Amino acid sequence: MEEFIVTPYEVKGEVDYEALIEKFGTSRITEELIGRIKKHTKDIHFMLRRKIFYSHRDLDWILDEYEKGNAFYLYTGRGPSGPVHLGHLMPWIFTKWLQDKFKVKLIFQMTDDEKFLFKHDLTLDQTNRYAYENALDVIALGFDKDKTEIIVDTEYIHNLYRIALMVAKKINFSLVKAVFGFNQSTNVGLLFFTSMQSAPAFLESYRKKKKVPCLIPCAIDQDPHFRITRDVAPSLGFPKPALIHCKFFPSLAGADKMSASVPSSSIYTTDTVEVARKKVMNAFTGGKPTVKEQREEGGNPRICAVFNYLAYFFEEDDKKLLEREKMCLAGELLCGECKNYLADKIARFLEDHQKKREKAKNVLEEFIVRDCDSK
Ligand code: TYM
């Protein structure tokens, strides 16, 4: 198989998720672990059932502590470099499910500093503005106002900086160079940045002056930051944060991850229904070149972006998904029909999300916590 790369700064090639578990040293989510979760949640989110959330670190420990009465908090985030696409929503939808089921607090970090440092063409004002734009998408998903704090790095820096400094003192250049592939021309801000992304993983322990477990849901690309966070945790007297990792929501163009830098391959939450429909109609499918061949030989749902969109996001009903897969394989479905089915589902989702996003403007300030003046 061709080489692939997964870091927080670059995802390239066809990702072998099983190989990634070995490479990163994470653990597979087993049926037994899912059974343990179900004891508390009663039902199981389809992203867990389908192993879209497939890997973890110390999730069993999080459950041990929870069962002992030591509840965890959730921590996740966004690098605000532009509009949010459907892929970003995946870990957040799952995080919201965890918040609802376990009734726990969430700290959501907006790394306006990171994206300013990483994206040559963005000013700090722009990334800060995107932090607020993107927060509307987060709020639109329905997080509990009383249990959710959104922090924007440049505006919560007083609290984060002390922890980030403690972390930074434990990290040297050769480590971040090896983990992230940095080189002599990487700006020094990025060398420091892992310390900033680590800070919220210790924030509740720091505030409460006791060991509060932290669970981080994210896609597997963010794991390298948190490997470092976990390595330094014991020497700072903090518990290691646990993680639950998802695979990437696929691109409309085929196997790669949905990427914000290729607009036609991603659907943004701010896309109009017409634009989204057009993107779906141009999507890569597992169909055959002619109707005749499709009828005779069937399609290939495994490589089909339209089918994967349904499996990862838009078709929660396992029976309906399986039925569609069978019909496709048997040549009973043509790609046009599937595309229309998906486009209708996306249209309904976008209309609803965009309404909630508008309403979120009224409560935005209630979610944001600051210790510095906002712009
Ligand atoms: P960012 O903005 O690149 O991504 C936000 C979240 O979305 C996940 N993600 C995806 N998930 C599924 N399919 C995709 N195609 C896809 N692309 C991105 C990311 O893994 C992430 O969970 N540095 C971070 C921001 C951050 C953060 C955190 C993320 C700060 N603290 C704690 C997770 C946990 C970033 O730039 O994410």
Side-chain angles (χ1 to χ4, degrees):
M1 187 183 272
E2 157 207 11
E3 267 295 303
F4 64 92
I5 298 174
V6 175
T7 78
Y9 300 109
E10 188 181 20
V11 177
K12 222 170 85 186
E14 193 174 339
V15 180
D16 179 340
Y17 289 102
E18 289 306 311
L20 217 46
I21 284 191
E22 307 305 327
K23 194 169 159 189
F24 283 1
T26 66
S27 305
R28 236 166 242 104
I29 293 184
T30 59
E31 288 304 325
E32 189 194 345
L33 190 54
I34 292 181
R36 259 194 94 182
I37 296 170
K38 196 173 174 186
K39 267 203 258 157
H40 300 284
T41 57
K42 307 295 177 244
D43 56 32
I44 284 296
H45 196 277
F46 76 92
M47 290 181 193
L48 202 49
R49 208 165 58 228
R50 291 185 193 156
K51 306 273 169 65
I52 295 166
F53 274 84
Y54 83 113
S55 152
H56 76 100
R57 292 183 187 270
D58 282 345
L59 187 55
D60 29 12
W61 168 74
I62 284 284
L63 293 171
D64 290 344
E65 289 299 304
Y66 185 79
E67 284 162 11
K68 280 191 242 160
N70 189 17
F72 59 94
Y73 71 104
L74 295 159
Y75 157 43
T76 195
R78 158 76 178 144
S81 57
V84 159
H85 62 54
L86 297 180
H88 300 128
L89 294 187
M90 258 178 48
W92 306 344
I93 288 171
F94 186 69
T95 302
K96 146 106 171 82
W97 180 78
L98 289 172
Q99 180 178 67
D100 287 349
K101 294 292 174 181
F102 288 96
K103 308 221 175 345
V104 288
K105 175 170 182 172
L106 164 67
I107 296 181
F108 194 105
Q109 180 183 39
M110 290 288 179
T111 55
D112 56 346
D113 51 350
E114 173 194 16
K115 292 296 151 155
F116 166 66
L117 290 166
F118 184 63
K119 299 267 178 177
H120 298 293
D121 53 337
L122 288 180
T123 65
L124 203 44
D125 279 347
Q126 284 169 317
T127 57
N128 185 263
R129 214 168 311 127
Y130 277 131
Y132 283 87
E133 279 294 312
N134 295 174
L136 298 176
D137 288 292
V138 174
I139 296 167
L141 296 177
F143 287 101
D144 181 342
K145 185 155 47 72
D146 299 325
K147 289 199 170 68
T148 304
E149 290 180 15
I150 300 179
I151 57 179
V152 181
D153 278 356
T154 58
E155 296 168 14
Y156 200 64
I157 191 60
H158 178 73
N159 279 294
L160 295 179
Y161 196 48
R162 294 178 68 92
I163 307 175
L165 283 176
M166 292 186 242
V167 175
K169 203 169 176 177
K170 304 277 175 193
I171 303 176
N172 60 33
F173 176 54
S174 41
L175 178 69
V176 285
K177 192 171 156 208
V179 173
F180 301 109
F182 292 156
N183 58 43
Q184 295 301 110
S185 51
T186 304
N187 71 56
V188 295
L190 281 179
L191 306 186
F192 178 76
F193 176 72
T194 292
S195 323
M196 288 299 295
Q197 186 152 325
S198 298
F202 302 142
L203 192 56
E204 279 293 278
S205 294
Y206 180 77
R207 282 171 175 165
K208 298 204 164 130
K209 298 190 173 44
K210 63 173 195 177
K211 295 189 175 179
V212 187
C214 171
L215 174 62
I216 307 174
C218 58
I220 189 97
D221 63 330
Q222 298 298 313
D223 186 73
H225 281 306
F226 297 120
R227 250 172 10 230
I228 296 179
T229 314
R230 286 168 53 85
D231 281 351
V232 305
S235 66
L236 298 177
F238 296 124
K240 290 184 181 188
L243 286 116
I244 178 161
H245 307 107
C246 66
K247 299 175 184 170
F248 299 118
F249 190 52
S251 149
L252 279 174
D256 282 350
K257 103 176 184 36
M258 183 180 253
S259 160
S261 48
V262 190
S264 62
S265 73
S266 315
I267 292 178
Y268 298 95
T269 61
T270 46
D271 277 350
T272 62
V273 165
E274 293 71 36
V275 166
R277 187 173 289 275
K278 213 183 234 168
K279 289 181 181 176
V280 173
M281 291 305 163
N282 289 325
F284 175 82
T285 70
K288 293 279 158 23
T290 66
V291 172
K292 184 169 176 285
E293 284 168 272
Q294 176 99 351
R295 291 281 183 223
E296 285 170 9
E297 297 165 28
N300 182 356
R302 203 188 61 79
I303 59 162
C304 176
V306 175
F307 183 80
N308 282 327
Y309 256 56
L310 292 167
Y312 274 64
F313 201 119
F314 288 100
E315 188 69 273
E316 290 186 28
D317 185 329
D318 289 349
K319 256 176 47 201
K320 283 192 186 163
L321 190 70
L322 194 65
E323 187 61 18
R324 181 163 296 273
E325 187 178 14
K326 275 195 200 147
M327 286 173 70
C328 171
L329 287 167
E332 291 163 22
L333 258 182
L334 294 182
C335 297
E337 299 169 50
C338 260
K339 284 178 173 172
N340 271 314
Y341 182 76
L342 175 65
D344 289 346
K345 279 194 175 273
I346 292 180
R348 281 198 294 279
F349 173 83
L350 286 179
E351 275 163 2
D352 181 54
H353 183 80
Q354 286 167 7
K355 265 190 222 141
K356 291 178 175 156
R357 205 175 171 279
E358 269 311 297
K359 282 199 186 146
K361 291 180 181 166
N362 301 325
V363 289
L364 177 60
E365 278 302 308
E366 294 172 50
F367 279 86
I368 308 270
V369 293
R370 298 189 183 86
D371 58 21
C372 289
D373 288 342
S374 66
K375 284 257 329 108

